[in-house]
Amino acid sequence: MTTEKSPQPGRPVMTAREAARLLRKDPRTIQRMIEDGELDGGAHQGPQRRRWFVYADQFNRSSAEITPAAHVADDVAAERDRLLLENADLRAELVSTQEAYRLVLASQATMHEALTDYQRSVDELLAGTTAFRDAAAHFQAAVSGLQSSNSKLNQVAGAYSDALHQGLIPGHAGTLGNASPNL
């Protein structure tokens, strides 16, 4: 066989690397097999080096070997399925993350409302404490006033008592000191 410079139209091809994987050989061995005519294929000039190709139809499908085109198609389908599953998983994760984010935002709003209510309650408690202090101060002033009034009332009662005692004693109070024994 001769080394072809371009593939025959309509005939399936694979790269020398794919053929090497399929035959479990080194790609340089495949190149030598093409040059020696053991495999149908060739090489066309690429931008930097030659690109080796092998015709896929020369591999036996009934044996353990699979044509690379079918193998590549299976690999592409498997990769597509894997990517679709991964995409579905990522979409589900995204939806879950978005829902968690919504819940966090709702919780944050509820927490902010609760903190506002808590602050309002603390302010009312402080106002009540201040009012209680003021009431206690008024109560204390009232108690002091009652004590003062009580003291004055006791003085007045004492003065009345003295006045009553003086009225009950016979004679003039001035004569008490000069009492005569002639009586």
Side-chain angles (χ1 to χ4, degrees):
M1 281 267 133
T2 60
T3 304
E4 298 180 21
K5 294 190 182 217
S6 64
Q8 297 172 8
R11 191 168 178 196
V13 294
M14 69 175 83
T15 66
R17 284 192 189 283
E18 291 171 331
R21 266 185 289 199
L22 181 66
L23 297 173
R24 294 188 178 103
K25 297 187 182 283
D26 187 84
R28 290 174 292 195
T29 304
I30 300 299
Q31 291 171 11
R32 271 195 308 271
M33 291 173 74
I34 293 170
E35 288 172 341
D36 294 344
E38 295 176 42
L39 287 174
D40 289 341
H44 55 87
Q45 188 61 41
Q48 296 176 353
R49 58 187 166 93
R50 291 179 9 171
R51 305 282 182 187
W52 290 89
F53 62 90
V54 177
Y55 291 106
D57 58 5
Q58 59 191 320
F59 297 103
N60 185 358
R61 227 182 211 296
S62 62
S63 68
E65 300 169 344
I66 303 170
T67 59
H71 182 66
V72 168
D74 290 344
D75 285 350
V76 168
E79 181 67 11
R80 186 196 72 219
D81 291 343
R82 185 190 69 75
L83 289 174
L84 287 172
L85 286 174
E86 185 178 342
N87 189 5
D89 288 345
L90 290 173
R91 284 179 184 270
E93 188 176 332
L94 176 64
V95 168
S96 175
T97 301
Q98 288 173 335
E99 185 60 26
Y101 183 69
R102 282 189 204 108
L103 290 173
V104 166
L105 286 177
S107 296
Q108 182 183 19
T110 303
M111 184 172 65
H112 185 269
E113 184 179 319
L115 284 173
T116 302
D117 290 347
Y118 180 81
Q119 184 62 47
R120 190 177 315 119
S121 297
V122 167
D123 291 343
E124 288 175 8
L125 185 63
L126 288 174
T129 303
T130 302
F132 181 77
R133 261 194 224 124
D134 291 345
H138 289 298
F139 183 76
Q140 191 173 11
V143 167
S144 294
L146 284 174
Q147 287 174 340
S148 176
S149 296
N150 185 38
S151 293
K152 289 178 184 176
L153 285 173
N154 280 334
Q155 287 175 356
V156 169
Y160 276 128
S161 178
D162 287 345
L164 286 175
H165 282 315
Q166 286 177 6
L168 293 177
I169 298 175
H172 188 285
T175 60
L176 284 177
N178 296 341
S180 75
N182 296 350
L183 274 175

